[in-house]
């Protein structure tokens, strides 16, 4: 079968993303991390991203038609009843693109990406970190998962003896330190700092993905969610379950990635959050730098 160099498919959280481009998609068009997620064809649950390597028609993004819903750093996002428009202006040195416009339909099943001033040669060697040509695909997955009884959580995900475990916490809480302990004793990390959680057959599963943080640890694997572990630095090494619901909410809410949603989207999001809170077991681990905490978690989730 002749290979179609203008179309590639990738899969995460059981969602297939088909990329269809104006230019041929070469070996180094995308970062090497995507090879682990590449699939041969679209699955039942799929979306399509179209790469248009040309300026967007100004009539499609004319100010005044849409309401600005977000503006911060590299992002400016607008919305009307059936369309989302993302303006991405790079602030990152070495980024292969300076400006990208993304136009999404209401459920993000069809995404049109417009990137200016990219030659075929640059596109072939760009090693884009995201299929959207933004600096990350986190924004679209937060929306896609919210429509599928799922969430994105700031956490490192592990498969520990067949159990999906999230090591959750904000930046600086010690996720990398504890994850290093778990990796050292052989447990598989699914992704660093951004984990996809989705309901599967009535229960939540965690999914590896390519939207990692500072460490390029990725896996296309998934595992049934068995627990979310929050971190507490201290002089001891011990784990205990959290049962107080107010404490759970106060720890869980800050680590949930908030997507861009309409009213119906927020209803779905909050419903999923409640299901996750009620059906998942939560823990807090206090740990020092001795490395013993890794063994404690490994033994606890046998």
């Amino acid at each position: 079968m002749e290979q179609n160099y203008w179309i590639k498919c990738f899969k995460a959280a059981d969602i297939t993303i088909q990329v269809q481009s104006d230019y041929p998609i070469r070996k180094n068009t995308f970062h090497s991390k995507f090879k682990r997620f590449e699939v041969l064809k679209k699955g039942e649950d799929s979306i399509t991203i179209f790469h248009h390597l040309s300026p967007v028609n100004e009539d499609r993004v004319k100010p005044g038609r849409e309401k600005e819903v977000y503006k911060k750093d590299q992002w400016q996002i607008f919305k009307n009843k059936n369309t989302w428009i993302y303006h991405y202006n790079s602030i990152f040195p070495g980024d292969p693109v300076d400006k990208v416009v993304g136009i999404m339909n209401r459920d993000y099943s069809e995404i049109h990406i417009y990137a200016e001033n990219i030659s075929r040669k640059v596109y072939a060697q760009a090693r884009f970190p995201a299929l959207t040509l933004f600096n990350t695909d986190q924004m679209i997955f937060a929306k896609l998962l919210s429509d599928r009884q799922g969430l994105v959580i700031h956490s490192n995900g592990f498969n520990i003896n067949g159990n999906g475990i999230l090591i959750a916490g904000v930046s600086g809480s010690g996720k990398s330190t504890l994850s290093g302990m778990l990796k050292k004793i052989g447990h598989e990390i699914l992704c660093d700092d951004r984990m996809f959680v989705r309901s599967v057959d009535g229960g939540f599963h965690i999914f590896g993905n390519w939207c990692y943080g500072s460490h390029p640890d990725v896996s296309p694997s998934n595992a049934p969610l068995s627990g979310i572990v929050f971190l507490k630095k201290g002089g001891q090494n011990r784990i205990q379950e959290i049962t107080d619901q107010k404490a759970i909410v106060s720890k869980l809410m800050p680590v949930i990635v908030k997507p861009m949603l309409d009213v119906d989207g927020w209803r779905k999001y909050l419903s999923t959050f409640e299901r996750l809170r009620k059906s998942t077991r939560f823990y807090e681990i206090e740990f020092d730098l001795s490395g013993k905490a890794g063994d404690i978690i490994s033994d606890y989730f046998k």
Side-chain angles (χ1 to χ4, degrees):
M1 181 183 295
E2 184 178 354
Q3 185 171 359
N4 188 336
Y5 291 101
W6 281 262
I7 295 176
K8 291 280 188 181
C9 293
F10 306 88
K11 188 175 182 180
D14 285 341
I15 304 169
T16 307
I17 298 181
Q18 177 177 281
V19 179
Q20 185 170 325
S21 179
D22 291 349
Y23 290 169
I25 302 171
R26 301 302 187 187
K27 178 181 177 181
N28 293 322
T29 295
F30 298 115
H31 188 283
S32 58
K33 64 185 177 181
F34 287 102
K35 288 299 296 182
R36 303 198 67 186
F37 299 90
E38 189 171 350
V39 294
L40 294 177
K41 61 182 180 179
K42 295 171 69 172
E44 291 184 7
D45 187 358
S46 63
I47 72 165
T48 302
I49 299 176
F50 297 89
H51 285 183
H52 305 287
L53 286 309
S54 59
V56 64
N57 187 320
E58 289 299 323
D59 287 340
R60 298 198 68 182
V61 292
K62 188 177 293 184
R65 289 185 176 180
E66 290 81 22
K67 178 183 178 182
E68 184 181 85
V69 294
Y70 186 82
K71 185 176 182 180
K72 185 178 181 182
D73 300 327
Q74 70 269 36
W75 301 105
Q76 189 175 18
I77 302 174
F78 298 85
K79 184 186 182 301
N80 64 23
K81 184 177 181 180
N82 296 308
T83 306
W84 296 82
I85 298 177
Y86 283 58
H87 290 265
Y88 172 81
N89 294 282
S90 176
I91 58 174
F92 305 100
D95 202 328
V97 290
D98 295 323
K99 294 183 179 181
V100 179
V101 175
I103 301 178
M104 293 79 164
N105 63 352
R106 187 174 182 180
D107 63 1
Y108 286 36
S109 61
E110 186 174 305
I111 299 174
H112 291 266
I113 298 294
Y114 297 86
E116 300 182 37
N117 303 320
I118 299 182
S119 67
R120 284 176 179 253
K121 182 178 180 180
V122 170
Y123 186 78
Q125 298 294 327
R127 293 181 173 86
F128 291 108
L131 301 181
T132 52
L133 309 189
F134 303 146
N135 68 306
T136 178
D137 289 326
Q138 174 185 301
M139 302 284 277
I140 67 163
F141 270 108
K143 161 63 176 170
L144 292 171
L145 287 168
S146 72
D147 286 339
R148 294 162 171 80
Q149 299 181 59
L151 300 164
V152 180
I153 299 181
H154 283 290
S155 60
N156 293 1
F158 281 87
N159 184 335
I160 299 179
N161 306 315
N163 298 292
I165 303 299
L166 297 183
I167 309 299
V170 297
S171 297
S173 60
K175 292 193 302 295
S176 295
T177 301
L178 185 54
S179 293
M181 298 176 190
L182 292 169
K183 288 191 290 183
K184 189 174 182 179
I185 56 178
H187 294 300
E188 179 189 17
I189 185 169
L190 304 185
C191 191
D192 168 79
D193 203 42
R194 303 288 191 279
M195 280 300 300
F196 297 171
V197 179
R198 182 179 179 182
S199 179
V200 177
D201 296 329
F204 285 101
H205 280 232
I206 64 172
F207 291 83
N209 64 88
W210 55 79
C211 301
Y212 59 79
S214 57
H215 300 284
D217 295 316
V218 296
S219 169
S221 302
N222 71 87
L225 177 61
S226 297
I228 298 179
V229 180
F230 297 102
L231 309 181
K232 179 182 179 182
K233 293 181 181 178
Q236 303 182 66
N237 292 285
R238 62 180 181 179
I239 187 170
Q240 59 183 7
E241 187 168 359
I242 305 171
T243 57
D244 180 84
Q245 293 303 304
K246 288 185 178 180
I248 290 172
V249 171
S250 68
K251 291 178 179 294
L252 182 60
M253 187 60 76
V255 300
I256 301 290
V257 174
K258 311 303 187 296
M260 293 291 110
L261 299 173
D262 54 19
V263 173
D264 184 58
W266 278 111
R267 179 185 58 78
K268 295 177 182 176
Y269 171 91
L270 292 173
S271 175
T272 301
F273 180 90
E274 279 299 295
R275 278 195 59 223
L276 181 72
R277 179 183 66 80
K278 292 177 179 179
S279 64
T280 304
R281 302 183 77 168
F282 298 88
Y283 305 87
E284 182 176 74
I285 185 164
E286 184 177 354
F287 68 102
D288 59 22
L289 301 180
S290 66
K292 294 179 180 179
D295 293 321
I296 289 173
I297 291 177
S298 183
D299 291 339
Y300 195 91
F301 294 103
K302 282 186 175 178

